[in-house]
Amino acid sequence: MNTTSDINPKPDEGSYWPSVLLVGGIFGIAGFLINLIFGYMQISSEPTGSFLSPMILSGLVVCLATCVAGLVAVWHFTKDVTDRIKLGRGALIGFLTGAFIILFSTILNELWYMIDPDYTEKILESVIENVEAMDVPAETRDQMIDQWAAGIQDTTFVQQLLFGIPVTGLLNMLTGMLGVKIFGAKEEESF
Amino acid sequence: MRYRSLYAGILIGLLLLVIASMGSGIIGVAVDYGNWQYRMFRGICHQMIERSFQINGIPMAVNTRCFGVFTGLFVSWLFIPALKNRVKNKKWPVFFLIIVVILQIGDYVAGLFSVWNSSNFSRFFMGNLLGAAIVCMIADQFSAKPKSSK
């Protein structure tokens, strides 16, 4: 038989892990797939010299999606567990969701490199062809090529986590807190 | 003020975020796009050189819009102690955030279709507004009076 506390848990009761793992998993997989789809679009595209290449567009989409994951995880928690959620817990849910997005997408990236070992090289070649077709000063063009080449250079699994989690985690902490404000139990409001 | 430790922790985090996003130019080190600052932000920013500010001739690790968001978050976060009671139980932060998000989308789409060419400074300013709007939404959560339960 359910007790009152089972039905309406107190603040900070109830596990947040299902929300973190579910939302982190979905956004991690979605981010990986978007990057992969846009990556192959980049490889198969002709160099146009446009700034907005498929890789740039995928970065924008993934960035926006990744940063709202904390908000979505808190929304899931308030629907699934309780809407009585403290700010600190929202921040924690956001941070962990961001960390798991990086973890899941990094694992999937590593697995994909086993399936298609030339993937990054093909992307780099395509991006360099596009940059070379751009109407920019030669110095800027060289800088952009250096930047892409450095971006695609080998990074270990642990390095990817160390570089990725702090920024994504912090931004998702903020959206997690935003989630507490939007989806948590509310007080009366006025304009 | 509630959640002082959380407030302080995020303040430090945002300060480090702003410093790291400035890239290696801030310490006068020659640009190396493989270094940690540039790698940290690679997943969330396109890092286009043409759309980045430069320090000592070295492009920042993020573009102007992202840098605007980070500085907007950090500067607004500093004002939370003064802001928290002013936004409490008010609806205007919600409208402010909605308007700013619409402006961001409009600015981006207009740029995409060459209707309007935003400059680095306008993108930085738009980013600032977004950072500030997010903090305005959160600020009342630090207010001393606990939230009433349902």
Side-chain angles (χ1 to χ4, degrees), chain A residues 15-46:
Chain A
S15 175
Y16 48 77
W17 283 108
S19 302
V20 167
L21 292 171
L22 181 69
V23 177
I26 289 172
F27 278 77
I29 293 166
F32 163 74
L33 288 175
I34 291 167
N35 269 329
L36 202 64
I37 291 165
F38 278 89
Y40 281 107
M41 280 171 67
Q42 176 73 55
I43 291 167
S44 60
S45 66
E46 291 296 319

Side-chain angles (χ1 to χ4, degrees), chain A residues 51-52 57 60 63 83 140 143 147 150-151 153 163 167 177-178 181 185 187-191, chain B residues 10 33 36 39-40 42 44 47-50 88-91 95 108 112 137 140-141 147 150:
Chain A
F51 277 108
L52 291 164
L57 287 173
L60 285 169
C63 166
D83 64 352
T140 306
Q143 277 184 322
Q147 192 183 27
Q153 73 186 19
F163 291 133
V167 177
M177 289 193 283
L178 197 57
K181 161 79 177 181
E187 298 173 71
E188 290 296 312
E189 286 182 338
S190 65
F191 196 86
Chain B
I10 291 182
Y33 296 111
W36 64 273
R39 288 188 190 198
M40 266 183 93
R42 197 155 285 147
I44 61 151
Q47 301 177 312
M48 284 166 63
I49 292 164
E50 289 281 290
K88 191 171 174 61
N89 300 333
K90 303 288 186 199
K91 283 183 179 171
F95 294 111
Y108 177 73
L112 194 64
M137 277 287 286
D140 71 335
Q141 302 291 307
K147 283 172 76 173
K150 275 189 176 176

Side-chain angles (χ1 to χ4, degrees), chain A residues 34-107:
Chain A
I34 291 167
N35 269 329
L36 202 64
I37 291 165
F38 278 89
Y40 281 107
M41 280 171 67
Q42 176 73 55
I43 291 167
S44 60
S45 66
E46 291 296 319
T48 60
S50 168
F51 277 108
L52 291 164
S53 62
M55 286 306 288
I56 296 286
L57 287 173
S58 90
L60 285 169
V61 174
V62 171
C63 166
L64 286 173
T66 301
C67 290
V68 297
L71 183 86
V72 177
V74 169
W75 168 78
H76 184 269
F77 180 81
T78 60
K79 292 288 171 197
D80 210 41
V81 183
T82 175
D83 64 352
R84 300 179 66 200
I85 177 171
K86 287 184 177 175
L87 194 65
R89 175 158 282 211
L92 179 63
I93 290 173
F95 180 84
L96 291 172
T97 305
F100 272 94
I101 289 172
I102 298 296
L103 180 65
F104 286 128
S105 59
T106 305
I107 290 170

Side-chain angles (χ1 to χ4, degrees), chain A residues 117-165:
Chain A
D118 299 330
Y119 175 67
T120 51
E121 269 183 40
K122 286 186 278 189
I123 283 188
L124 186 57
E125 278 173 23
S126 171
V127 167
I128 288 173
E129 282 174 11
N130 191 54
V131 170
E132 283 173 344
M134 285 181 181
D135 183 23
V136 291
E139 190 188 350
T140 306
R141 195 178 297 140
D142 291 343
Q143 277 184 322
M144 291 172 87
I145 291 170
D146 289 347
Q147 192 183 27
W148 274 101
I152 294 185
Q153 73 186 19
D154 284 343
T155 309
T156 65
F157 179 79
V158 175
Q159 281 178 326
Q160 287 181 63
L161 297 183
L162 285 176
F163 291 133
I165 289 175

